[in-house]
Amino acid sequence: LGRMKPVIVVHGGAGRIFKEREEGSRAGVVRAALRGYGVLKQGGSAVDAVEEAVQSMEDDPHFNAGCGSVLNEKGEVEMDAIIMDGKKLDSGAVSAVKCIANPVKLARLVMERTKHMQLTDHGAHLFARAMGIPEIPGEKLVTERSHERWKKNLEPDSNPEEFQKDLGTVGAVAIDSEGNVACATSTGGLSNKLIGRVGDTACIGSGGYADNHSGATSTTGHGESIMKVVLARLVLYHMEQGMSPEVAADTALDYMKTRVGGLGGVIVVSKAGEWAARFSTKQMSWATVKDGELHYGIHAGERHVKSVDEALASESEGF
């Protein structure tokens, strides 16, 4: 069997990343990529790697997923997540879940322990309980920043649309040494969204898609726009037509922009282990590890490169 060189790519959300949050976002995606790569290096599966990477970002308050998620109109955190295995196209998703730290873990359990692909709200809650996933008080997921922002958006002259620009969906794609691909995506959704609003993240083909025959993608950006064009699957479709990951991503993002006026970002890994991180928003935090090299950036055209060893050393010093 030809052994593949494992690759992981992660994103921490496309949109506008405020100056004072740049460092934290960079550090967060780098940490997630290194963790996911660690799993792959030890012979772990692509599914294990993307779950690990996304969990790392859910636990990081810099991102709009898990702890740090934005609040709905009632001031509560409701989260969506998906995970997909490219081997047999198995997938698991949860939507509108509350009071758990890591929705991506629950999504994986839906994939592996049920015959279904998506559980929502109360049903997802009962399933989490049955699986022994600890419940945490909802306010444990609420950060000072999310709360401030929610209050601002309640003011009569506020424009929540303005705030939708720094969306922080998180995601990861990977290929393991067996050549299997996987994706995972997790989010708190849109600030001040209606109760029960579910965006692209939990929807197969929109928030993510993985197929060993072509590759894996995870998306971020304006959820309703992403759903209209089924963005994750669209990128893979273009790759199946012979485009490189980068061109496929740009083509799909461009279509979403011209057709429905939507902005976003996408990370891709092909079945050959080529990768891309592309976005039509002002920024997207991303990181990737391949061949013992870490690449990462936030702004268009920005790419830092470090050896993994160097990155791990500075990681243990606290960046």
Side-chain angles (χ1 to χ4, degrees):
L1 269 178
R3 304 288 281 175
M4 276 298 302
K5 282 185 175 159
V7 182
I8 185 148
V9 194
V10 306
H11 71 72
R16 187 181 52 186
I17 297 162
F18 296 109
K19 262 280 175 273
E20 73 276 9
R21 302 185 62 78
E22 270 190 26
E23 265 326 290
S25 295
R26 260 197 207 95
V29 287
V30 164
R31 183 178 306 119
L34 291 170
R35 277 201 180 166
Y37 191 67
V39 169
L40 295 169
K41 272 312 258 187
Q42 285 153 24
S45 69
V47 173
D48 286 340
V50 294
E51 181 185 27
E52 178 69 31
V54 165
Q55 195 185 312
S56 164
M57 291 182 285
E58 284 176 343
D59 293 340
D60 185 329
H62 280 93
F63 302 108
N64 172 19
C67 175
S69 287
V70 298
L71 311 186
N72 67 13
E73 55 179 354
K74 262 185 70 181
E76 299 170 332
V77 166
E78 283 187 316
M79 301 164 292
D80 305 330
I82 194 169
I83 193 163
M84 185 167 181
D85 182 343
K87 220 180 304 188
K88 293 193 183 132
L89 308 186
D90 290 324
S91 161
V94 292
S95 56
V97 296
K98 302 185 184 79
C99 303
I100 62 165
N102 298 109
V104 73
K105 273 185 158 160
L106 190 56
R108 179 155 186 188
L109 288 168
V110 170
M111 173 169 81
E112 292 181 347
R113 303 286 186 87
T114 77
K115 291 192 172 75
H116 307 311
M117 286 171 80
Q118 188 175 148
L119 291 178
T120 193
D121 199 355
H122 184 60
H125 174 78
L126 295 176
F127 176 66
R129 189 178 283 173
M131 291 288 114
I133 289 204
E135 246 170 86
I136 59 169
E139 51 272 19
K140 271 251 166 46
L141 299 170
V142 177
T143 59
E144 183 69 29
R145 173 168 180 265
S146 304
H147 194 255
E148 282 304 300
R149 187 151 145 205
W150 173 72
K151 280 206 318 227
K152 250 205 187 101
N153 286 347
L154 289 180
E155 291 164 12
D157 57 347
S158 86
N159 174 12
E161 286 303 306
E162 239 332 278
F163 285 97
Q164 302 312 9
K165 294 197 172 72
D166 66 327
L167 305 173
T169 304
V170 306
V173 295
I175 188 165
D176 59 30
S177 55
E178 307 286 312
N180 292 313
V181 298
C183 71
T185 313
S186 180
T187 191
L190 291 179
S191 193
N192 297 61
K193 63 189 178 179
L194 294 180
I195 291 166
R197 178 265 188 187
V198 177
D200 66 295
T201 300
C203 299
I204 188 171
S206 293
Y209 202 81
D211 182 349
N212 282 4
H213 293 164
S214 44
T217 53
S218 169
T219 64
T220 166
H222 184 244
E224 280 71 13
S225 299
I226 290 171
M227 290 161 96
K228 286 174 182 175
V229 302
V230 198
L231 185 64
R233 189 66 191 81
L234 184 59
V235 174
L236 291 181
Y237 165 77
H238 286 314
M239 281 161 60
E240 287 157 4
Q241 304 303 304
M243 289 183 190
S244 70
E246 191 159 298
V247 175
D250 286 347
T251 304
L253 285 166
D254 195 48
Y255 176 72
M256 183 167 81
K257 192 174 179 176
T258 53
R259 185 69 178 87
V260 298
L263 301 179
V266 61
I267 51 172
V268 194
V269 65
S270 75
K271 65 176 182 183
E274 300 170 313
W275 63 273
R278 309 293 292 170
F279 48 99
S280 52
T281 50
K282 277 211 165 66
Q283 285 118 354
M284 179 178 81
S285 54
W286 63 274
T288 185
V289 183
K290 179 181 180 177
D291 285 343
E293 254 188 5
L294 164 78
H295 297 240
Y296 61 97
I298 285 188
H299 300 277
E302 172 193 356
R303 187 193 285 195
H304 306 281
V305 185
K306 275 183 181 178
S307 77
V308 167
D309 298 338
E310 184 189 344
L312 283 169
S314 55
E315 178 71 13
S316 54
E317 292 155 24
F319 228 74

